[in-house]
Amino acid sequence: MGYQSLNFLLFSAAVVLVFYAVGKINRKGQQFVLLAANLAFYIIAGVKYLPFLLVTLFASFFGAKAIGKIYDAADKKLLDAKDIAEKKEIRADSKKKAKKAMLFGVLVSLALLVVCKYLLFILKNVNIVIKKLGAEPIGLFKIILPLGISFYTFMAVGYVLDVYWKRIKAENNFIAYSVFLTYFPHIVQGPIGRYGNFKEQFDVKKGVVLDTQNLAFGAELVIWGLFKKLVIADRLSPFVSTFFDDPKSYSGLVMVIAAVLYSIQIYTDFSGCIDIISGVSEMLGIKLEKNFNHPYFSRTIPEFWRRWHISLGDWFKDFVYFPVSTSAPVKKLKKAFKKRGWKKGELLVASCAPTIVVWVITGVWHGASWNYVAWGMFYAALMVGGNIFADFNKAATEKLKIDTETFSWHLFQIIRTFALCCIGRVFFRAEGLKNALVYFKHMFSSLSLEFILDDKIYTYGMDRDNFILVLVAIAVLFVADLLEEKIPLRKTLAKQNIVFRYAVILLGIFAVLIFGIYGPQFNASEFIYEQF
């Protein structure tokens, strides 16, 4: 039941209808409607995946609950403590016990992720070494990769760590937490939700009151997401696949075009999915974490990653970057540089060490393949390099008397950042690291224009009419994103007169129905991020 499918839209409409109908009778019943919908959605995807989700659910809930009990007991003891030394001992003892509970909740969830997603990759690479040593390789076997495991594992781990670090209180209501972790809009492709944000919006005792604005805004977001996915992303898919699936057979500028179009495809595909599920969730009165903020308007790579897959970036910042930057090894390195009086080195260690760790893990999180590791290291190199050469770049712009506040300079920065992202996308899209290197080799082997000049470019999955249509659709997307940078489009549309408002909405619906790539004859693509 793909998010772009009619089945999903009908399923979501039924959930919304029953959700508010039950809410009129007893709003406490809405939690059971959502839980039933979540489990139904996941079971339809594959009942074989359910045990893995349930193990993560139970481990994270009871691990966090144990932490909460330990902290509550310690708080009571602190009230009766006689002096500072006794209080210090109580806190140390509670932290030690809570750490054991935290490790249980975190490691069980992560162990499942590692086994399901990375064990075969590890064994294959071990076998390469074993074969070179002349020994018998380890026998490989098929392992189930549960739907959405990368996303719900990070949500579960984040929840346990938030409780352990006392950012939120442990949830005692198992149903309430279950609704969050299994929530059908975000379980497959995110955003990576935080329980504190979810609970603020959906209190199981109070429920959600029907709000017509939520229904209208949510529906508009769904239409916009379908436009991105069906009109742009799925139309670009066959063209992009032609070159990335067989990079040896092509060369020159056409491969540069394919890399650029893939960058647009993955943006419209992923953000389109997020718009669809965010719209459905908004109709249920629950606003998911923002995951995109017009990333291709970014002027630097760090800014790009603050605008792209925002929930993942925030997760890594809170649970990897800051812990690594305050870890004992990093502190020792900083101290060593400080003793030598190298202030710049101290600052670089503080920023570069956690950046490298984050990007290695980010690459591995996306997939068990060396091309994802290379993709992560590519961005790590860009960010570390940016930190190292920051002073040099500043001095160079001053010496060359470049006005960094002009439109032309900002435009150059945006184009430069987009170009770097397109290079990174080659690692990301290629079928393995070897194919990525082959793609780069053929992409820069010539600057031939023959594919364009003799119209051969229209024979690779998109004819002339589809090329024109997709370029117009991309232009519409560009204008909409540009306007959204300045004004909230849905709120602005809501203020217009009813005729104009509904004309725009109907135009969006008809654009999806008439120009969308859908139906069995087109074999509509699944969302790219479902594989992660």
Side-chain angles (χ1 to χ4, degrees):
M1 189 159 51
Y3 287 132
Q4 78 279 22
S5 68
L6 179 61
N7 287 339
F8 176 76
L9 298 178
L10 292 175
F11 174 82
S12 299
V15 173
V16 171
L17 185 64
V18 175
F19 181 77
Y20 287 115
V22 169
K24 283 217 168 192
I25 301 167
N26 183 356
R27 286 210 289 271
K28 287 183 181 180
Q30 288 178 327
Q31 61 183 310
F32 299 106
V33 173
L34 277 188
L35 184 59
N38 298 343
L39 293 176
F41 175 83
Y42 204 75
I43 289 170
I44 290 169
V47 69
K48 62 185 177 181
Y49 303 140
L50 190 60
F52 298 90
L53 173 60
L54 293 178
V55 169
T56 300
L57 173 66
F58 281 102
S60 56
F61 175 77
F62 287 106
K65 190 175 182 180
I67 295 169
K69 285 184 176 180
I70 292 165
Y71 286 160
D72 288 344
D75 288 341
K76 289 179 181 177
K77 289 179 181 178
L78 286 169
L79 294 173
D80 299 325
K82 296 175 182 178
D83 52 40
I84 294 174
E86 188 178 352
K87 286 182 178 180
K88 191 175 180 180
E89 186 180 346
I90 291 169
R91 289 193 183 99
D93 183 59
S94 69
K95 199 71 175 178
K96 186 177 179 181
K97 291 177 180 176
K99 188 175 183 179
K100 291 179 181 178
M102 178 272 289
L103 289 173
F104 168 77
V106 168
L107 293 181
V108 169
S109 301
L110 289 179
L112 275 179
L113 177 63
V114 170
V115 169
C116 293
K117 194 167 181 177
Y118 304 107
L119 183 58
L120 277 180
F121 173 70
I122 293 168
L123 291 178
K124 284 177 182 177
N125 283 279
V126 168
N127 277 344
I128 292 172
V129 177
I130 289 175
K131 284 179 182 178
K132 287 184 177 180
L133 295 173
E136 189 70 24
I138 301 167
L140 301 180
F141 45 89
K142 190 175 181 180
I143 299 176
I144 293 174
L145 182 60
L147 189 68
I149 188 170
S150 295
F151 291 93
Y152 69 68
T153 298
F154 270 28
M155 285 189 273
V157 169
Y159 165 67
V160 174
L161 290 175
D162 276 339
V163 172
Y164 176 69
W165 287 326
K166 297 184 178 181
R167 292 171 177 166
I168 61 172
K169 295 283 287 183
E171 178 58 67
N172 291 315
N173 186 326
F174 181 70
I175 299 296
Y177 178 69
S178 299
V179 169
F180 158 73
L181 193 65
T182 64
Y183 190 47
F184 76 91
H186 71 193
I187 194 170
V188 176
Q189 287 186 241
I192 298 172
R194 304 289 280 269
Y195 185 64
N197 178 53
F198 189 88
K199 188 176 181 179
E200 281 181 12
Q201 299 183 79
F202 184 64
D203 187 317
V204 293
K205 294 179 180 178
K206 296 177 182 178
V208 175
V209 179
L210 176 63
D211 185 330
T212 54
Q213 180 173 284
N214 284 342
L215 292 178
F217 279 16
E220 289 164 8
L221 201 53
V222 170
I223 295 166
W224 182 236
L226 290 170
F227 175 82
K228 288 182 181 178
K229 167 64 175 171
L230 297 175
V231 179
I232 301 177
D234 284 356
R235 184 165 267 102
L236 292 174
S237 179
F239 179 86
V240 169
S241 297
T242 298
F243 300 97
F244 276 97
D245 291 350
D246 187 19
K248 293 179 182 178
S249 301
Y250 308 95
S251 63
L253 189 61
V254 71
M255 298 187 79
V256 176
I257 294 170
V260 170
L261 291 183
Y262 176 64
S263 295
I264 296 171
Q265 181 202 351
I266 193 171
Y267 170 61
T268 51
D269 186 284
F270 192 15
S271 69
C273 170
I274 297 299
D275 287 343
I276 293 168
I277 61 177
S278 296
V280 169
S281 188
E282 194 166 340
M283 294 170 81
L284 292 166
I286 302 168
K287 291 185 179 180
L288 298 178
E289 284 78 358
K290 190 171 185 178
N291 223 28
F292 289 91
N293 184 22
H294 319 123
Y296 290 144
F297 292 148
S298 304
R299 286 154 46 187
T300 64
I301 290 298
E303 182 189 353
F304 174 81
W305 284 106
R306 290 193 295 271
R307 288 170 172 254
W308 178 285
H309 210 339
I310 298 168
S311 64
L312 181 66
D314 287 344
W315 195 95
F316 276 117
K317 180 179 70 177
D318 288 347
F319 302 117
V320 179
Y321 187 92
F322 287 143
V324 170
S325 64
T326 57
S327 64
V330 172
K331 283 182 177 178
K332 284 181 181 178
L333 276 172
K334 286 168 67 179
K335 194 174 181 180
F337 281 117
K338 191 175 183 179
K339 280 184 178 180
R340 294 171 182 264
W342 191 19
K343 186 69 176 175
K344 182 68 175 176
E346 184 185 349
L347 293 172
L348 285 174
V349 167
S351 62
C352 295
T355 296
I356 293 169
V357 173
V358 163
W359 278 102
V360 169
I361 297 174
T362 301
V364 172
W365 179 86
H366 277 86
S369 177
W370 288 112
N371 60 299
Y372 291 117
V373 176
W375 172 78
M377 292 311 298
F378 171 75
Y379 279 107
L382 289 177
M383 292 195 182
V384 169
N387 286 334
I388 292 173
F389 294 104
D391 292 342
F392 171 81
N393 291 336
K394 185 180 178 182
T397 53
E398 288 175 356
K399 191 170 184 179
L400 294 170
K401 296 181 180 179
I402 296 172
D403 187 348
T404 58
E405 296 304 316
T406 60
F407 169 77
S408 58
W409 180 252
H410 292 170
L411 181 61
F412 163 74
Q413 288 180 303
I414 290 170
I415 294 171
R416 176 195 60 190
T417 303
F418 180 71
L420 289 171
C421 289
C422 290
I423 293 170
R425 292 293 176 211
V426 174
F427 288 113
F428 194 86
R429 174 62 177 80
E431 299 291 333
L433 181 57
K434 184 179 178 181
N435 270 1
L437 298 176
V438 169
Y439 195 99
F440 281 121
K441 179 183 176 182
H442 283 246
M443 182 165 62
F444 298 115
S445 63
S446 78
L447 293 175
S448 173
L449 297 174
E450 63 174 306
F451 284 91
I452 299 171
L453 296 177
D454 63 7
D455 288 350
K456 198 174 180 180
I457 195 170
Y458 301 127
T459 64
Y460 298 109
M462 282 196 300
D463 58 22
R464 184 188 294 272
D465 290 342
N466 275 297
F467 248 106
I468 293 171
L469 179 57
V470 82
L471 290 175
V472 171
I474 290 169
V476 170
L477 172 68
F478 174 80
V479 171
D481 279 2
L482 195 61
L483 289 172
E484 187 70 36
E485 285 274 287
K486 306 295 182 182
I487 57 172
L489 287 182
R490 287 185 295 165
K491 288 183 179 179
T492 303
L493 182 61
K495 294 175 183 178
Q496 308 308 310
N497 66 68
I498 193 168
V499 175
F500 180 80
R501 190 163 70 245
Y502 279 97
V504 172
I505 293 170
L506 287 172
L507 183 64
I509 293 171
F510 286 129
V512 171
L513 292 176
I514 296 169
F515 301 118
I517 299 295
Y518 59 90
Q521 69 271 32
F522 290 106
N523 189 23
S525 304
E526 293 181 348
F527 284 97
I528 291 170
Y529 261 69
E530 284 183 14
Q531 66 181 294
F532 305 125

